[in-house]
Amino acid sequence: MTEIIDGDAVAQSIRDDLATAIDQLADAGHTPTLATVLMSDDPASETYVSMKQSDCEEVGIEALDIEIDPEADAEELYDTVDELNADENVNGILVQMPVPDHVSDRQVLRAIDPRKDVDGFHPENVGRLVAGDARYKPCTPHGIQKLIDAAGVDTEGKEAVVVGRSDIVGKPMANLLIQKAPGGNATTTVCHSRTEDLAAKTREADILVAAAGVPEMIDGEMVKDGATVIDVGINRVDADTEKGYELVGDVDFESAKSKAGAITPVPGGVGPMTRAMLLYNTVKAAGLQHDVAVDLP
């Protein structure tokens, strides 16, 4: 019988387990603090930031909510990041993407102090990840590692296929899977829009991570019997519902479920883990910056 990997439950377990580390910081006189910066009036971005703020409040992380007019000069955002970098009480900085067209997202990411880059996207942190000495693992790939582990799947020696080569998910996911470390040691293939005969590649995967941003592109015919399927996609498609749409992943869930040994649903799979690992990185950042040894889950 196929196991449905419950991302909500695993994420809640991580949030619960962070309590010990947060208490250790409190004993040393520190409260981990995350600053979220929103320069957008996009409803989805506003919702994401609101959810992250709520997550912080739930576990005892101080949340700073900073909003910047999307029409403001780019310098206002850069100056805000500089101020947060200099604030010793702020441990983590997250600038919600996307930013307006007149703002360089690359410049924003490079402006964040790498010690406070709890997304793990600063070039210094990317380099450390590739070198096998990660300061902060990017939240979504790290969350996927936790989901695979929660399903009782050993990655060592397995064939892993990552569909998608984004800087946010695909590339760091592949790097984590090939690391000589727990949750790694897999033989890893990265597929993308130029891959020939994608189905032939995915059918070889013991572990299949779909992160291409294309609704239901992976169906059951592309899945190896007994594979672990991780669906990163969150795609809004038209549907006969009250809202007029529904959310689907990059995997055709019903057909893939008939072949997979374990699979994540959408929603309720990877999404909650991304947010949980942001909390994890914020607490880790606070421990590093205040030189407090903390026990992380």
Side-chain angles (χ1 to χ4, degrees):
M1 184 175 180
T2 302
E3 177 185 356
I4 309 302
I5 306 173
D6 189 343
D8 285 316
V10 180
Q12 185 60 57
S13 175
I14 289 171
R15 290 195 295 269
D16 292 343
D17 288 345
L18 283 173
T20 298
I22 292 172
D23 286 345
Q24 290 167 333
L25 285 162
D27 290 342
H30 304 292
T31 299
T33 300
L34 173 67
T36 57
V37 183
L38 177 65
M39 191 179 187
S40 172
D41 53 12
D42 173 57
S45 292
E46 292 173 349
T47 298
Y48 293 152
V49 168
S50 176
M51 293 168 70
K52 291 165 185 174
Q53 296 279 325
S54 296
D55 291 341
C56 287
E57 293 173 8
E58 177 187 338
V59 301
I61 292 174
E62 181 75 19
L64 300 181
D65 182 16
I66 300 168
E67 296 185 7
I68 299 174
D69 187 337
E71 302 298 324
D73 290 341
E75 290 302 323
E76 184 169 341
L77 176 56
Y78 303 144
D79 289 345
T80 298
V81 170
D82 287 343
E83 291 171 5
L84 294 171
N85 285 338
D87 189 340
E88 295 183 356
N89 293 317
V90 172
N91 306 117
I93 302 169
L94 183 148
V95 178
Q96 182 65 42
M97 297 293 172
V99 290
D101 291 341
H102 66 281
V103 180
S104 167
D105 54 358
R106 285 184 178 273
Q107 186 170 340
V108 171
L109 295 178
R110 283 158 174 72
I112 297 172
D113 184 333
R115 298 172 303 165
K116 299 187 178 188
D117 167 41
V118 287
D119 264 335
F121 296 155
H122 188 283
E124 179 179 315
N125 289 326
V126 173
R128 292 186 61 154
L129 172 69
V130 173
D133 181 31
R135 176 188 278 127
Y136 310 120
K137 296 179 182 179
C139 300
T140 298
H142 194 187
I144 291 170
Q145 274 194 317
K146 295 288 189 182
L147 288 174
I148 293 171
D149 181 64
V153 175
D154 184 2
T155 57
E156 183 167 348
K158 299 294 176 59
E159 294 285 341
V161 172
V162 179
V163 182
R165 53 181 170 179
S166 73
D167 293 338
I168 296 173
V169 181
K171 291 177 184 177
M173 187 76 252
N175 269 296
L176 288 176
L177 286 167
I178 64 172
Q179 294 285 347
K180 190 175 182 180
N185 290 311
T187 301
T188 305
T189 301
V190 178
C191 298
H192 46 76
S193 60
R194 299 296 187 269
T195 298
E196 294 185 4
D197 199 355
L198 176 62
K201 302 291 193 301
T202 61
R203 281 194 291 265
E204 294 295 318
D206 301 304
I207 300 166
L208 176 59
V209 180
V214 180
E216 299 181 327
M217 68 175 295
I218 305 292
D219 62 24
E221 293 299 315
M222 301 171 70
V223 176
K224 179 180 181 179
D225 285 334
T228 300
V229 180
I230 306 295
D231 191 351
V232 183
I234 303 178
N235 307 288
R236 182 181 293 190
V237 298
D238 294 337
D240 185 17
T241 65
E242 182 178 341
K243 294 182 178 179
Y245 67 87
E246 63 180 356
L247 297 178
V248 301
D250 289 359
V251 176
D252 179 4
F253 182 80
E254 291 302 325
S255 66
K257 184 176 70 171
S258 67
K259 299 284 289 295
I263 188 170
T264 59
V266 175
V270 173
M273 293 301 298
T274 298
R275 289 160 44 206
M277 302 322 295
L278 175 65
L279 304 178
Y280 179 104
N281 282 350
T282 301
V283 174
K284 183 177 183 180
L288 291 173
Q289 291 162 35
H290 296 303
D291 197 23
V292 177
V294 295
D295 297 320
L296 291 166

